Every structure is written in structure tokens, then in C-alpha cells.
């Protein structure tokens, strides 16, 4: 009989095949799990990259209208692009004619020079030789009235004054005592006068011109070949006179009696980092220029800070107890116990709202535009009430405006709470909504305190000074040179706000009689 198949062998072979199949399936399952994990990681990476791309595109589209970017750093045509967008949004806006020329239009009352009734010199022009219409000669023709033309200019000429300093011998000890030269002059040496010192200081502090170039400009314009060292020493000399006269103390005392102040700060480049005077260690963070200014812009105080740390800002403002207009920097909140109140700059709020409104999708972020609308309506209502002499807004109108604000903020928080966002932190719409809810009373302070402006634009305008100087010169060498620049700008800006030209302000300071701000109490007593 033929051999019968071995059942045990067939079963073993089947078992082996099944084991191999299981191993293949397990390997494929493991491979599939790896692929799924990789696919999930790729999808997550793609999601993050898309969010990152959206954020970068948003930043690329930002300009001075929706961020703190100064208008000087905007791309060419940014302003015209915004105007075109406004025309597209608002069809009721008047569209300019294509043939409209730039500048003032016919009927516009311009500002220019007016005739001086008492000119310094009179010059007689030659009479016309021929008729302007037909060309006939006018020699010997009787006069037919006259007209006039004035030219205003200044004379630039070298003016040297030598002071004779008599000496007298003491009849007692025989010592010869020589008369003291006037302020700004030095016995036995040659020095430059107040006009050249003014030119050096103004070029360096206002023209943002480096000392070497300022010296060259003075040689070209004034025919005085001064050195770069003189330009630097002129600023140092003025700064020393102001410091000796107690200019900073006088500014602090005058600002302390103001009911409302605006404050702002801006980072600047300083080559040598600031150090802690107690420990000598380098202070972390970028150097700052702190601006404290009255809303009417008659007083401006610029101070150099080693960093943006809260303790430095609160220490600088420790003297003030009135209303303070600031941006959203949290360090100012530490001053609340001593202040009458804080007004959040609504211009900063509007910029943040514009940035969020651009995020989309669709009209989902229209709540941010609603915030802008209601704040602008509130500002207009305050201006109208002021013009009518009303001490406060109508209670019903204010209640309606606040309810619209609160509803828009609540919408922004709810619809952005779980929205994805790249990087650390929450979605900007959610973060802005929470901030607006937390600081609502500070955003709306101007509607109940009519002496408080709704923006810190006065302080922001003062920040442009150091920004422009940095854009031209690039940096300051040390913290003391930054402090010197800030003191000089504060002095000249505040003096100009009180009707004093730079020449008189600098001359008075160099002769030991600098202009100092009078406190409101002193002014009332003098009146």
C-alpha cells in the first residue's frame, strides 16, 4: 500500500505558514502604525506651517495703521494703498478727479510771509525799458505808480569781540587781580560764541548729524571751520549747565502738579550696555528712552533708562498722582495705587483691532472693527459735549456705547477661545478680547474724565525724536551720552513750547541763566 500522508507533518506546515502570515501581518501593522504616526506628524507640521505662514503674511501686511511701526519705515505707496482700500470699503467717500494736481487747491487759505512795514534796507530797482505788452520803449515816460518786492534773509559774517581784562595790583600784598571775562569766554584763550554753540547743538540734537558732518556743515554755511570735538563739547557744556541749574528737578516738580500726563517708551541702540550702580552688573534688556509729556505738549521730559524693567519706569513716575495716558504695557499698572486713573491709549487699541480684523476668516473678526467704530463714536460724542460746555456725556448714550463695546468683546472671546494659532500663547483675537475686557474701565476713562485725552499721541510724537536720531546715527555710544541727548532735547523742546527760540535758550543756559519750567502754583502766585 502506498504511504499515507503524515497528518502531523501537514499540520506543522500549516502552523508554520500561519505563523509566517501572522508575522507578516504584525510587521505590516507595525509599519502601518509608523506610517500613520508619520502622516499625523506631517499633518501637524503642515497645520503649523500654514498657521505660521498666515502669521508672517499678517505681519508683512502690517503698517502704521495697525501696529507700532513708524510711518517712516513703511514701504513706498503704503499710504496710497490704504486710501484706495478705504475708497473701496466706503463708496460714499469722495473720489478725487484724475486731473487734480497735488497741493493746495484754489480757494485754500495758505500761510506764508507777510510784508514787513519797516524793512532794514531800501533798494531802488531800475525802471522798465520797454512795454511788457507791445514792446515800445519807455525811456523818458512819466511814472505811473510803483509796486514792491521784499526778500527776507540773514547775514552770515564773522564777528570777533575781544574783551580787555584790566588787572589791578593789591597795595597790601602786591598780588595782581585780573577782571573776569563774561560767561562763555575764558581769559587768555579764544572761544566760540553762543551762535556757533547753538548751531552745533541744534545740528547734533535736532538735525541728528554726527559731529564730524556737523562741523563740515558749519564750515560750509557759516564759514567757520570748527572741529568735531567742538561740536561734541558744545553739547556737553550745555548739558553740564542744565544739570548744575537743576533742570531735571524743576521738570519733575512742574510735571508733578499737572493733572494729566502722557507717557511712552521706546528701545534704542547703545553700544556700551547699562550697568547696575550698586552691583556693577550689566542690566539685561535694551536701553530705552522714556517720554513724559503734557497733552498740550508744552512740557516734555525725556529720560534714558538702562532697560524696560518695571521698577525703572515706576521709580521714574513715582512723583505723579494725576491721570496717566499710556499704552498697554503692564508695568504702568503698578502705579495704579498712587494715580487718579489710567487711560489706555485708544490709538493703540485701534491698531490692535485692525490687526485682528485682518486675520479672518471672512467676517468672523468683524467684532474688532465694531470696537473701532464704537470708540470713535464715543470720542466724537465727548468732543461734541465739550463744545457745548457739558460736564459729562448723556448717561443713556454712554450706557448704549458701553453695551455695544461689551457685546463685541464677548463675541471676540467666545469665537476665538479654541481657535488654533502658531507658536506660544492664544489666538490674537482671544488675547485682545480678554485684554479689552480686563481694562475696559481704563479704555473708557476719557468718557467720564473730560480733561483726559483718549490717546497718548503727544508722547508718541516725542518718541519720534530718538527714533529719527537712531535711524540717522545708528546708536549712542554710552548710557551717559544718551542721557545728555535726552536732557538737551527736553530743554529745547520745552523752551520752544514756551516761546523761547533755541538761540536764546542756549545763550541763557551758557551764561548761567537757563530757562526752567515754572510750576502751576508758582505761575498762579506770580499772576
Amino acid at each position: 500500500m502506498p504511504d499515507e500522508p503524515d497528518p502531523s507533518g501537514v499540520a506543522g506546515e500549516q502552523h508554520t505558514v500561519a505563523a509566517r502570515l501572522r508575522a507578516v501581518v504584525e510587521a505590516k501593522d507595525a509599519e502601518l502604525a509608523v506610517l500613520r504616526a508619520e502622516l499625523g506628524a506631517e499633518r501637524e507640521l503642515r497645520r503649523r506651517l500654514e498657521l505660521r505662514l498666515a502669521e508672517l503674511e499678517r505681519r508683512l501686511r502690517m503698517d502704521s495703521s495697525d501696529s507700532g511701526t513708524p510711518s517712516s519705515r513703511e514701504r513706498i505707496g503704503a499710504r496710497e494703498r490704504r486710501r484706495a482700500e478705504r475708497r473701496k470699503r466706503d463708496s460714499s467717500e469722495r473720489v478725487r478727479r484724475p486731473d487734480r494736481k497735488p497741493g493746495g487747491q484754489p480757494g485754500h487759505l495758505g500761510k506764508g510771509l507777510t510784508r514787513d512795514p519797516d524793512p532794514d534796507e531800501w533798494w531802488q530797482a531800475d525802471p522798465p525799458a520797454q512795454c511788457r505788452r507791445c514792446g515800445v520803449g519807455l525811456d523818458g515816460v512819466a511814472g505811473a505808480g510803483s509796486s514792491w518786492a521784499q526778500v527776507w534773509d540773514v547775514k552770515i559774517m564773522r564777528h570777533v569781540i575781544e574783551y580787555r581784562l584790566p588787572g589791578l595790583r593789591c597795595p597790601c600784598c602786591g598780588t595782581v587781580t585780573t577782571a573776569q571775562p563774561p560767561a562763555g569766554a575764558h581769559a587768555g584763550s579764544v572761544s566760540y560764541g553762543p551762535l556757533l554753540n547753538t548751531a552745533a547743538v541744534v545740528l547734533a540734537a535736532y538735525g541728528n548729524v554726527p559731529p564730524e558732518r556737523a562741523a563740515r556743515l558749519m564750515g560750509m554755511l557759516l564759514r567757520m571751520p570748527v572741529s568735531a570735538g567742538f561740536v561734541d563739547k558744545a553739547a556737553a557744556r550745555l548739558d553740564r549747565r542744565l544739570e548744575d541749574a537743576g533742570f531735571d528737578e524743576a521738570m519733575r516738580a512742574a510735571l508733578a502738579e499737572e493733572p494729566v500726563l502722557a507717557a511712552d517708551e521706546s528701545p534704542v541702540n547703545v553700544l556700551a550696555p547699562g550697568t547696575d550702580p550698586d552691583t556693577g552688573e550689566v542690566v539685561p534688556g535694551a536701553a530705552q528712552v522714556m517720554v513724559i509729556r503734557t497733552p498740550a505738549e508744552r512740557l516734555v521730559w525725556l529720560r534714558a533708562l538702562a532697560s524696560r524693567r518695571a521698577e525703572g519706569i515706576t521709580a521714574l513716575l513715582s512723583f505723579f498722582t494725576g491721570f496717566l495716558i499710556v499704552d498697554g504695557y503692564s508695568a504702568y499698572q503698578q502705579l495704579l495705587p498712587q494715580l487718579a486713573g489710567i487711560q489706555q491709549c485708544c490709538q493703540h487699541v485701534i491698531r490692535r483691532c485692525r490687526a485682528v480684523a485682518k486675520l479672518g476668516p471672512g467676517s468672523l473678526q468683524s467684532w474688532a472693527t465694531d470696537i473701532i467704530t464704537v470708540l470713535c463714536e464715543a470720542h466724537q460724542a465727548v468732543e461734541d459735549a465739550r463744545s457745548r460746555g457739558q460736564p459729562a456725556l448723556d448717561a443713556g448714550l454712554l450706557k448704549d456705547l458701553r453695551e455695544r463695546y461689551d457685546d463685541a468683546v464677548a463675541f471676540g472671546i467666545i469665537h476665538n477661545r479654541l481657535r488654533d494659532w502658531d507658536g506660544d500663547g492664544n489666538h490674537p483675537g482671544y488675547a485682545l478680547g480678554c485684554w479689552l475686557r480686563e481694562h475696559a474701565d481704563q479704555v473708557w476713562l476719557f468718557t467720564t474724565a473730560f480733561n483726559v485725552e483718549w490717546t497718548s499721541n503727544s508722547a508718541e510724537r516725542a518718541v519720534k525724536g530718538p527714533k529719527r536720531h537712531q535711524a540717522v546715527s545708528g546708536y549712542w555710544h554710552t548710557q551717559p551720552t544718551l542721557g545728555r541727548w535726552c536732557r538737551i532735547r527736553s530743554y529745547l523742546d520745552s523752551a520752544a513750547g514756551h516761546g523761547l527760540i533755541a538761540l536764546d535758550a542756549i545763550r541763557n543756559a551758557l551764561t548761567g541763566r537757563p530757562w526752567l519750567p515754572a510750576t502751576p502754583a508758582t505761575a498762579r502766585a506770580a499772576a
Side-chain angles (χ1 to χ4, degrees):
M1 292 180 61
D3 295 336
E4 295 182 358
D6 186 0
S8 60
V10 174
E13 185 176 353
Q14 292 176 346
H15 179 73
T16 302
V17 171
R20 290 176 179 174
L21 288 175
R22 280 196 301 271
V24 171
V25 171
E26 290 175 356
K28 293 299 181 182
D29 288 342
E31 183 179 358
L32 184 59
V34 171
L35 291 175
R36 285 176 175 171
E38 292 178 351
L39 180 60
E42 290 293 332
R43 286 175 174 172
E44 177 64 19
L45 177 60
R46 178 179 176 179
R47 185 186 68 85
R48 289 187 171 274
L49 289 177
E50 288 176 347
L51 292 173
R52 182 61 175 169
L53 178 61
E55 168 65 5
L56 293 176
E57 289 178 343
R58 181 184 73 90
R59 293 183 182 182
L60 189 62
R61 292 192 302 268
M62 293 175 71
D63 51 37
S64 60
S65 66
D66 56 11
S67 70
T69 303
S71 57
S72 59
R73 297 183 60 184
E74 289 183 335
R75 295 186 176 185
I76 297 176
R79 183 174 299 179
E80 290 300 325
R81 185 167 57 253
R82 287 198 298 272
R83 287 176 179 172
E85 291 175 354
R86 286 198 300 270
R87 294 191 191 103
K88 185 177 180 180
R89 290 195 306 265
D90 185 6
S91 58
S92 64
E93 183 175 353
R94 180 167 57 93
V95 180
R96 293 181 176 180
R97 301 189 315 272
D99 59 343
R100 181 183 185 274
K101 296 181 179 180
Q105 303 304 303
H108 172 70
L109 297 178
K111 295 182 179 179
L113 298 176
T114 58
R115 185 184 185 185
D116 189 338
D118 187 22
D120 300 309
E121 297 182 26
W122 295 83
W123 286 16
Q124 183 66 41
D126 295 332
Q130 60 185 19
C131 177
R132 61 183 176 84
R133 180 178 181 182
C134 63
V136 172
L138 300 178
D139 188 23
V141 176
S146 64
S147 184
W148 59 271
Q150 279 192 353
V151 176
W152 288 20
D153 209 341
V154 295
K155 289 185 176 180
I156 299 177
M157 56 183 294
R158 193 180 72 160
H159 187 61
V160 179
I161 300 176
E162 181 172 301
Y163 296 93
R164 300 297 177 88
L165 309 177
L168 298 177
R169 187 181 300 278
C170 177
C172 178
C173 63
T175 301
V176 176
T177 302
T178 306
Q180 292 295 318
H186 306 280
S189 65
V190 179
S191 56
Y192 292 117
L195 182 58
L196 291 175
N197 277 271
T198 298
V201 171
V202 170
L203 282 173
Y206 272 88
N208 308 310
V209 182
E212 295 82 2
R213 193 175 302 169
R216 291 185 60 189
L217 287 175
M218 292 176 64
M220 296 169 63
L221 292 174
L222 306 177
R223 293 186 294 180
M224 292 296 294
V226 301
S227 66
F230 162 72
V231 175
D232 186 69
K233 287 181 180 178
R237 191 180 302 113
L238 176 60
D239 177 69
R240 188 165 57 251
R241 296 288 191 277
L242 295 177
E243 192 172 8
D244 294 342
F247 173 74
D248 290 329
E249 291 75 12
M251 286 292 294
R252 185 183 294 108
L255 292 171
E257 295 196 24
E258 291 288 335
V260 183
L261 291 178
D264 199 3
E265 73 291 330
S266 179
V268 293
N269 297 330
V270 177
L271 289 184
T275 56
D276 191 309
D278 298 327
T279 63
E281 298 180 354
V282 175
V283 177
Q288 303 280 321
V289 170
M290 180 81 182
V291 174
I292 305 172
R293 195 171 195 178
T294 56
E297 304 185 7
R298 288 175 58 82
L299 291 177
V300 56
W301 196 29
L302 282 74
R303 299 288 289 171
L305 298 178
S307 71
R308 205 187 182 203
R309 291 188 301 178
E311 52 266 30
I313 292 177
T314 54
L316 184 58
L317 284 166
S318 60
F319 66 88
F320 188 59
T321 57
F323 291 103
L324 188 63
I325 312 172
V326 296
D327 57 19
Y329 186 37
S330 59
Y332 295 110
Q333 299 297 320
Q334 299 182 19
L335 296 167
L336 269 177
Q338 74 186 50
L339 295 175
I342 286 180
Q343 169 66 53
Q344 294 292 337
C345 175
C346 289
Q347 188 60 51
H348 283 78
V349 174
I350 289 173
R351 291 174 190 163
R352 294 180 65 183
C353 288
R354 285 174 178 163
V356 169
K358 292 180 179 180
L359 294 179
S363 60
L364 184 62
Q365 306 298 344
S366 60
W367 68 274
T369 305
D370 295 338
I371 294 291
I372 298 174
T373 301
V374 72
L375 287 179
C376 291
E377 290 181 11
H379 174 245
Q380 187 60 50
V382 170
E383 292 298 307
D384 294 342
R386 282 177 177 173
S387 64
R388 292 191 296 267
Q390 296 178 354
L393 278 181
D394 176 74
L397 174 61
L398 180 58
K399 181 174 181 290
D400 176 67
L401 292 170
R402 278 299 302 266
E403 287 179 352
R404 289 167 56 192
Y405 172 89
D406 294 336
D407 291 343
V409 169
F411 182 92
I413 293 174
I414 292 172
H415 289 270
N416 290 297
R417 179 182 287 113
L418 303 178
R419 193 168 298 282
D420 289 336
W421 190 249
D422 178 60
D424 299 331
N426 296 305
H427 188 277
Y430 179 73
L432 176 60
C434 292
W435 187 90
L436 291 173
R437 180 179 60 185
E438 180 182 356
H439 298 89
D441 291 339
Q442 296 179 9
V443 173
W444 285 82
L445 177 64
F446 74 97
T447 60
T448 55
F450 276 16
N451 62 331
V452 178
E453 296 294 330
W454 77 318
T455 71
S456 62
N457 286 350
S458 59
E460 280 202 19
R461 279 190 286 270
V463 168
K464 291 183 178 180
K467 283 295 188 183
R468 177 53 54 197
H469 182 89
Q470 181 171 277
V472 176
S473 299
Y475 56 86
W476 284 267
H477 285 87
T478 63
Q479 199 74 16
T481 57
L482 174 61
R484 181 181 76 183
W485 187 91
C486 289
R487 185 176 292 112
I488 291 174
R489 282 297 296 252
S490 301
Y491 175 68
L492 296 180
D493 279 338
S494 299
H498 288 75
L500 200 63
I501 64 173
L503 176 60
D504 292 337
I506 294 175
R507 178 193 287 119
N508 293 344
L510 293 179
T511 56
R513 300 177 291 105
W515 171 88
L516 295 178
T519 63
T522 305
R524 287 193 297 270

